[in-house]
């Protein structure tokens, strides 16, 4: 009948509306991101009383927000990622976010701001992360990069100086407190039964480390945590050409972290530049040349412990080459090439720098400057041919 045909046509229209055509995998992936963004937006909404039972916790909501913001950043949706991180940071007190969570959001905000070209915003976000986590090399690296890109190097240097001063004062207070506690323990050990005295007190009386067999103390750990900011301060001053100030910070970093190859290498390079200043007395220049060579050798020995002996030879060769001591640089460059020939081709994994081409190029420059063009051509043909 007419009524039955009309009912069948209405049912067909409902089925067509429920099943759209042409829904590709890419659209599904974007729908997933949008659904996750919607869920994160709901998580950012003002808290309302939730019914009893399992649900999304505050920590789970934060992880979801951070993952969605990162997904939006990777997919190129920078405006949405920035809006999400800014909205979450605006509610960090109401949500009770811990400092590590706030720092993670600011770290993401700095990355997004750099990608969008908002250099000053990126530098400010990175500054907050670095000052909150002053022991983190990654935080200082990002802040320094943002400061250089935004042209705010002077402010970065002031922030570094304030952080170094604050850490120095904090370490002095801890040392004084530790000294008072050590003197109190010594009095207790002398006044009472020496055999019943604590092991760390007996170690301090003997001038040792409490019988720990050369273990790391809390003071040593606090000192090592100061290395990243001192290293970054030295590098930023080196970038400005203030080699004296840079050398002071870098030598301090080497003293606090003698097992850090980056600090030793940076200090060696700064010492080379400081030694080549023409207005320094000759005796002072010679002394700093010796210190620079010693620092470069120390950095190379530390890298050799990790299986990267070629880096130490190349850095030392480059240093003496810069000083014009070609007769010392040649055997070091040759040692780099000999080690590389035994190691084979360029490694496929990023396990360390392969300096074969750099060493061959510098060695060829030395040969060409001395008139041995045939040797220079042979070195390039053997080690720098693609």
């Amino acid at each position: 009948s007419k009524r039955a045909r009309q009912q069948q046509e209405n049912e067909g229209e409902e089925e067509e509306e429920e099943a759209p055509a042409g829904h590709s995998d890419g659209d599904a992936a974007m729908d997933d991101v949008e659904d996750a963004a919607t869920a994160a937006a709901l998580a950012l909404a003002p808290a309302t009383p939730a019914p009893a039972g399992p649900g999304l916790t505050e920590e789970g909501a934060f992880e979801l927000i951070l993952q969605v913001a990162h997904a939006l950043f990777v997919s190129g949706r920078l405006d949405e990622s920035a809006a999400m991180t800014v909205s979450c940071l605006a509610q960090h007190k109401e949500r009770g976010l811990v400092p590590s969570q706030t720092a993670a959001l600011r770290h993401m905000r700095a990355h997004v701001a750099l990608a969008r070209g908002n250099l000053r915003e990126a530098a400010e976000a990175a500054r907050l992360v670095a000052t909150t986590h002053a022991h983190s090399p990654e935080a200082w690296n990002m802040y320094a990069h943002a400061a250089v890109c935004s042209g705010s190097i002077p402010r970065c240097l002031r922030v570094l100086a304030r952080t170094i001063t604050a850490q120095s004062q904090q370490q002095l207070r801890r040392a004084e407190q530790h000294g008072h506690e050590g003197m109190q323990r010594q009095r207790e050990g002398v006044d009472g039964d020496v055999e019943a005295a604590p092991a760390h007190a007996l170690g301090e009386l003997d001038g040792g480390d409490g019988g720990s067999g050369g273990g790391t103390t809390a003071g040593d750990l606090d000192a090592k945590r100061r290395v990243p900011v001192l290293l970054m301060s030295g590098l930023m001053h080196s970038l400005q050409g203030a080699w004296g100030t840079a050398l002071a910070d870098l030598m301090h970093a080497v003293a606090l972290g003698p097992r850090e190859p980056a600090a030793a290498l940076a200090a060696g390079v700064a010492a080379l530049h400081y030694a080549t200043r023409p207005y320094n007395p000759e005796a002072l220049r010679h002394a700093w040349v010796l210190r620079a060579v010693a620092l470069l050798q120390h950095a190379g020995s530390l890298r050799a412990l990790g299986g990267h002996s070629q880096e130490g030879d190349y850095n030392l060769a480059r240093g003496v080459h810069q000083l014009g001591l070609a007769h010392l640089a040649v055997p070091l460059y040759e040692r780099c090439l000999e080690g590389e020939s035994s190691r084979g081709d360029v490694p496929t994994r990023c396990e360390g720098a392969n300096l074969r081409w750099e060493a061959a190029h510098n060695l060829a420059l030395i040969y060409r400057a001395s008139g041995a063009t045939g040797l220079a051509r042979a070195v390039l043909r053997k080690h720098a041919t693609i």
Side-chain angles (χ1 to χ4, degrees):
S1 62
K2 183 176 181 181
R3 181 177 298 176
R5 285 195 305 271
Q6 185 67 26
Q7 183 175 0
Q8 290 178 358
E9 291 177 358
N10 293 336
E11 291 177 354
E13 292 177 357
E14 292 178 359
E15 291 178 357
E16 291 178 358
E17 292 177 358
E18 293 176 358
H23 199 66
S24 63
D25 294 340
D27 295 336
M30 295 303 297
D31 289 343
D32 292 340
V33 175
E34 292 174 355
D35 293 342
T38 303
L42 293 175
L44 281 171
T48 56
L56 187 63
T57 63
E58 288 291 336
E59 184 176 357
F62 171 78
E63 294 295 334
L64 175 62
I65 293 169
L66 195 60
Q67 291 175 8
V68 172
H70 183 263
L72 293 172
F73 171 72
V74 173
S75 62
R77 299 166 64 174
L78 302 179
D79 293 339
E80 297 175 58
S81 179
M84 182 171 292
T85 53
V86 170
S87 178
C88 192
L89 284 171
Q91 303 181 28
H92 74 279
K93 292 183 178 179
E94 293 79 0
R95 289 294 181 180
L97 297 181
V98 298
S100 60
Q101 293 174 329
T102 306
L105 288 171
R106 286 172 177 161
H107 190 263
M108 174 59 64
R109 181 180 179 182
H111 277 291
V112 175
L114 276 176
R116 297 174 68 191
N118 298 334
L119 302 179
R120 293 193 176 275
E121 179 184 350
E124 180 62 20
R127 182 188 67 82
L128 294 174
V129 177
T131 53
T132 305
H133 300 272
H135 60 278
S136 172
E138 292 79 7
W140 286 112
N141 287 339
M142 185 171 189
Y143 178 41
H145 175 66
V148 171
C149 292
S150 62
S152 56
I153 295 179
R155 187 186 183 188
C156 179
L157 291 175
R158 291 194 297 269
V159 171
L160 288 166
R162 288 196 299 266
T163 305
I164 291 173
T165 302
Q167 289 182 346
S168 300
Q169 294 175 350
Q170 185 178 11
Q171 187 178 12
L172 286 176
R173 288 193 297 267
R174 290 180 179 177
E176 293 176 356
Q177 182 180 1
H178 180 71
H180 292 320
E181 293 176 354
M183 292 177 63
Q184 183 65 26
R185 288 197 296 267
Q186 289 181 12
R187 293 192 190 98
E188 293 175 356
V190 173
D191 295 339
D193 187 1
V194 177
E195 294 182 356
H200 53 75
L202 295 176
E204 290 172 358
L205 287 171
D206 294 334
D209 55 1
S212 61
T216 303
T217 63
D220 295 335
L221 293 177
D222 291 338
K224 289 181 180 179
R225 290 163 69 92
R226 298 178 57 195
V227 172
V229 63
L230 287 168
L231 176 60
M232 187 53 60
S233 177
L235 293 175
M236 293 299 288
H237 281 292
S238 299
L239 190 62
Q240 295 294 96
W243 296 110
T245 307
L247 193 56
D249 289 335
L250 293 172
M251 292 300 290
H252 195 180
V254 172
L256 296 178
R259 308 294 295 176
E260 296 292 336
L265 177 60
V269 174
L272 281 176
H273 284 276
Y274 187 77
T276 54
R277 298 196 302 182
Y279 47 83
N280 282 338
E282 186 175 357
L284 181 63
R285 295 170 63 185
H286 290 172
W288 277 109
V289 166
L290 292 177
R291 293 189 181 99
V293 172
L295 287 166
L296 292 176
Q297 287 179 331
H298 179 58
S301 63
L302 293 176
R303 290 296 292 162
L305 294 176
H308 307 290
S309 58
Q310 187 192 46
E311 291 184 23
D313 293 334
Y314 177 80
N315 290 329
L316 183 56
R318 184 65 185 86
V320 295
H321 189 186
Q322 178 179 338
L323 294 173
L325 304 176
H327 64 286
L328 297 179
V330 168
L332 292 170
Y333 284 135
E334 291 176 345
R335 190 188 305 173
C336 292
L337 298 176
E338 292 173 358
E340 180 55 37
S341 61
S342 62
R343 288 172 51 190
D345 297 332
V346 177
T348 56
R349 293 183 298 173
C350 235
E351 297 177 350
N354 188 299
L355 302 168
R356 177 184 61 186
W357 291 346
E358 289 82 356
H361 174 74
N362 293 343
L363 183 59
L365 291 179
I366 295 176
Y367 286 152
R368 188 175 291 113
S370 64
T373 55
L375 287 176
R377 191 178 299 109
V379 168
L380 294 176
R381 184 182 298 113
K382 181 178 180 181
H383 299 283
T385 300
I386 300 177

